Amino acid sequence: MRLVFASQNKHKLLEIKALLPPAVGLLSLPDLYFHEDIPETSPTLVGNALQKANFIYDRFQVPCFADDTGLEVEALDGRPGVYSARYAGEGKTADDNITKLLLELKGQANRFALFKTVIAFVGIGEPTLFEGILEGNITLDKKGSNGFGYDPVFMPAGYSITLAEMSTGEKNKLSHRAIAVKKFVEHLSILSL
Ligand code: IMP
């Protein structure tokens, strides 16, 4: 079976490729010669995941899934949440987002945070949603150079290294995205796909 992953994020694609069974013929957007950004204008992770998956399904008519992820920081009342990508402003880098986060948490003892991923799957039956959550803490400094986004400042609960200090294989054993993808894979197997 062929499935499109509706994301231009190469890091997400690599993580997801490693988590899907070989029987799934995963197509990326570059495989479809689609290089534009996909609109994500909803105020919720669910809304954005559905918007991205529907946008690509409408265009290519191939079953499609998309993820939307947010970092929710307790001391910031759940911010940046759905606005994690644009936390430091439109067009800013992951490094700018991290710098802003560390500044906002300066002197803050409560560093509890969680990543939440929502995957939306459209094109076969009703649209379906899968969620994954990873709890942890925001570190005082950046550590590690693997992964992407906020990985250098996120230390999963029970670990003494950040996600950016883990290999893709290690991150995929515990991450929010991996948890959501596992639920999605179970759903595909129930559909006998
Ligand atoms: P989106 O799901 O692509 O909208 O991502 C929202 C924001 O969260 C972006 O700044 C991403 O870089 C960041 N992000 C998404 N997934 C991860 C992850 O697995 N680790 C660290 N940051 C992430």
Side-chain angles (χ1 to χ4, degrees):
M1 72 150 331
R2 286 153 81 80
L3 286 183
V4 182
F5 178 49
S7 172
Q8 298 290 11
N9 184 322
K10 293 188 186 94
H11 297 280
K12 282 187 183 177
L13 181 67
L14 273 180
E15 288 183 12
I16 278 176
K17 240 183 198 162
L19 287 162
L20 290 176
V24 173
L26 185 65
L27 293 172
S28 67
L29 295 181
D31 289 334
L32 300 171
Y33 303 101
F34 183 85
H35 301 285
E36 295 160 36
D37 281 336
I38 309 171
E40 44 181 307
T41 53
S42 166
T44 66
L45 296 178
V46 167
N48 278 334
L50 282 168
Q51 185 180 17
K52 290 188 266 190
N54 279 317
F55 184 88
I56 295 299
Y57 179 67
D58 289 347
R59 194 169 276 229
F60 296 101
Q61 300 296 311
V62 179
C64 177
F65 67 103
D67 94 337
D68 202 52
T69 296
L71 175 69
E72 299 182 6
V73 180
E74 190 170 71
L76 302 178
D77 298 323
R79 283 188 299 117
V82 70
Y83 301 109
S84 295
R86 290 157 280 161
Y87 182 40
E90 215 56 66
K92 298 283 186 175
T93 64
D95 231 37
D96 296 329
N97 287 337
I98 288 177
T99 302
K100 177 167 179 186
L101 180 64
L102 293 182
L103 204 64
E104 282 215 75
L105 289 179
K106 207 167 178 184
Q108 175 60 253
N110 175 11
R111 311 202 54 104
F112 178 81
L114 59 84
F115 274 117
K116 191 185 282 180
T117 286
V118 173
I119 289 180
F121 174 50
V122 302
I124 300 174
E126 289 298 309
T128 332
L129 298 166
F130 310 91
E131 186 184 270
I133 288 175
L134 176 65
E135 295 184 345
N137 285 283
I138 303 300
T139 52
L140 296 173
D141 301 297
K142 290 192 287 179
K143 288 191 190 101
S145 53
N146 299 329
F148 66 101
Y150 296 89
D151 281 349
V153 290
F154 190 91
M155 190 178 283
Y159 288 77
S160 53
I161 56 173
T162 67
L163 287 175
E165 293 177 288
M166 298 181 183
S167 65
T168 302
E170 285 172 308
K171 182 179 172 186
N172 269 350
K173 283 189 189 136
L174 66 139
S175 84
H176 41 293
R177 185 165 299 100
I179 293 166
V181 171
K182 272 180 201 144
K183 293 178 185 171
F184 174 43
V185 168
E186 268 169 43
H187 176 74
L188 293 179
S189 72
I190 290 166
L191 291 176
S192 307
L193 296 173

